[in-house]
Amino acid sequence: MKSLGIKIYGDKLLRSKSKAVEDFGSDLSPFLEQMIETMIIEGGVGLAAPQVGISKKIAVINPEPENTATLIKMINPRIVSTSDEVETLEEGCLSIPGIRGDVVRSSAIEVVYQDENGREHNVKAEGLLARIIQHEIDHLNGVLFIDHLSLAKKALIKPELRNLLHGRGRER
Ligand code: CO
């Protein structure tokens, strides 16, 4: 197993809107497998393609990394409904090592996505799964979890973000 390598905060791709996948050809499945391997090696519960340098609407998600039954591969995902109810939970991100913070997100969502064969799926998610999906779809829109932090917390992490920009981030 080999990691594709993770783009770290400061990389332009992390702030770019990813392009929709139109070609469901034979390159897609191997790329998804590489993303899954990378997610496992890096110790994440989700990974979006821009985090490995590919600006396409692709994400892999697994709230239980050791359980293949809970793995979801999402192509062109979009949230079609969100609950009024919200939840606050601490998040981190493989692309922003060493920084964690409380993020308020919808408790439940409904998402439409395609699988590697282009077939459309519709899934209702709540709790941790709903949170991870929202975090990864944010990545596909160039949004990072730090954008959702309180103003006070944003001020607090400013020096750490500056260190990441200058390549002096904490070792993972
Ligand atoms: Co992330």
Side-chain angles (χ1 to χ4, degrees):
M1 296 224 295
K2 195 169 160 287
S3 170
L4 292 166
I6 302 288
K7 300 291 178 195
I8 299 299
Y9 178 78
D11 190 290
K12 278 197 188 75
L13 269 195
L14 294 174
R15 287 308 195 183
S16 307
K17 257 187 181 297
S18 295
K19 289 192 178 65
V21 173
E22 286 164 5
D23 179 7
F24 288 80
S26 56
D27 291 346
L28 193 55
S29 276
F31 177 64
L32 281 163
E33 290 312 309
Q34 286 178 309
M35 280 188 69
I36 292 162
E37 283 188 13
T38 301
M39 174 172 69
I40 292 168
I41 291 167
E42 304 290 347
V45 289
L47 185 69
Q51 292 184 277
V52 294
I54 303 294
S55 197
K56 287 185 182 169
K57 291 196 183 298
I58 303 173
V60 293
I61 288 160
N62 196 349
E64 301 170 41
E66 64 292 330
N67 183 357
T68 50
T70 51
L71 174 72
I72 308 178
K73 303 175 237 184
M74 290 189 170
I75 321 283
N76 301 328
R78 61 180 204 277
I79 292 169
V80 291
S81 74
T82 56
S83 60
D84 292 332
E85 198 189 324
V86 294
E87 265 171 30
T88 305
L89 200 76
E90 194 182 63
E91 290 186 21
C93 179
L94 293 174
S95 294
I96 315 173
I99 297 177
R100 300 186 67 81
D102 284 347
V103 177
V104 181
R105 295 197 189 270
S106 302
S107 312
I109 58 166
E110 187 177 352
V111 58
V112 173
Y113 65 95
Q114 287 165 282
D115 62 24
E116 64 259 58
N117 302 311
R119 216 172 300 132
E120 201 163 87
H121 298 262
N122 181 306
V123 69
K124 288 186 171 121
E126 53 181 29
L128 183 61
L129 180 59
R131 176 167 297 270
I132 301 169
I133 293 171
Q134 290 171 83
H135 179 117
E136 300 313 329
I137 291 180
D138 268 358
H139 272 302
L140 303 180
N141 292 313
V143 175
L144 300 171
F145 86 91
I146 51 173
D147 303 341
H148 298 296
L149 299 175
S150 68
L151 283 176
K153 179 71 179 179
K154 277 180 184 161
L156 211 60
I157 63 168
K158 232 176 187 165
E160 290 181 72
L161 286 177
R162 206 175 302 128
N163 285 344
L164 285 177
L165 278 182
H166 296 110
R168 296 193 298 266
R170 209 183 292 170
E171 285 293 311
R172 280 176 290 135

